[in-house]
Amino acid sequence: MVYTSKRPPLAETSDQLRARIPGWGADLDPQDRPSVPKLLWKEDQRGAHWEFPERQPEKWPRERSIEHAFLTPVFGTSCPPRGLSGAVRKIAYRKYSEARAAHWLLLLAADRVDAWEHHLRSFATIHPDNPITETGVASEFSRHGISSRVGKKRADVKHHLLDPLIVAGPWVLAGGLVVAAVRNVLRR
């Protein structure tokens, strides 16, 4: 069982695994491994001083992997799930295993949705987001941005033509939608 101080039981013996999996156990001989003293099990259990770790209090329902029977004893609390991005994260954890691409793609999508939620929320404040200064576009012209790329064999040069489209594209699209909405309202 995970999260306990007891040594986990082996599902199969070394001989059973060696018979079933060709090449398994090639490094079993302690003479072949320099890390053997570190890996030896010490019965006095000097590492963990508890039978099961004290559980962190859960202040709101947390996402947890469907592979685990319960929430891990310690978890992060810096970003509580909220809004549409939180709903997408909950779907990723509730429906898909961590071994599935859909799980991770939904989490990536939730990050993008979260970024846009914060952009939209910033418009309700006195200081809305400024995509020109906050993305570093201005420093491209004042801090040798272009000369640092030409002739340097940098790996990221291949996507530089897409960067303005990826960074500015959503802003231009959102601005166009706002202008179209305002025109529609004014025509009526």
Side-chain angles (χ1 to χ4, degrees):
M1 169 151 196
V2 293
Y3 313 120
T4 63
S5 60
K6 292 184 178 69
R7 184 176 189 172
L10 295 176
E12 298 179 59
T13 66
S14 297
D15 294 331
Q16 290 170 328
L17 288 169
R18 194 175 296 111
R20 188 169 56 87
I21 303 170
W24 189 92
D27 61 347
L28 279 180
D29 184 12
Q31 301 301 323
D32 294 338
R33 292 184 295 155
S35 63
V36 167
K38 178 180 76 168
L39 298 175
L40 292 177
W41 181 258
K42 296 182 176 53
E43 290 301 325
D44 63 353
Q45 298 179 348
R46 283 185 284 172
H49 302 290
W50 34 260
E51 194 59 34
F52 188 85
E54 183 180 334
R55 296 180 76 66
Q56 179 178 348
E58 187 177 353
K59 295 180 181 171
W60 59 84
R62 297 295 311 192
E63 314 84 32
R64 70 168 178 82
S65 171
I66 59 176
E67 283 100 14
H68 297 283
F70 48 83
L71 189 63
T72 57
V74 178
F75 49 85
T77 59
S78 64
C79 301
R82 66 173 70 129
L84 182 61
S85 62
V88 172
R89 283 188 179 93
K90 287 177 183 178
I91 290 170
Y93 279 100
R94 191 177 307 128
K95 285 187 81 169
Y96 298 104
S97 160
E98 290 182 30
R100 303 269 315 269
H103 174 84
W104 299 105
L105 290 173
L106 281 171
L107 291 179
L108 285 171
D111 285 345
R112 294 294 86 219
V113 169
D114 187 47
W116 273 100
E117 285 174 342
H118 281 86
H119 291 320
L120 293 174
R121 198 173 296 129
S122 78
F123 288 123
T125 65
I126 297 172
H127 301 288
D129 290 347
N130 183 346
I132 302 298
T133 58
E134 292 177 8
T135 57
V137 172
S139 67
E140 289 292 322
F141 303 105
S142 62
R143 307 264 184 217
H144 311 290
I146 295 172
S147 65
S148 70
R149 292 180 179 87
V150 179
K152 305 290 190 218
K153 296 184 179 180
R154 287 177 48 170
D156 61 345
V157 171
K158 295 175 184 166
H159 66 77
H160 284 169
L161 293 176
L162 289 176
D163 284 348
L165 179 67
I166 292 169
V167 172
W171 287 100
V172 171
L173 179 65
L177 291 174
V178 167
V179 168
V182 168
R183 279 187 184 169
N184 252 350
V185 169
L186 292 178
R187 282 184 190 160
R188 291 184 185 169

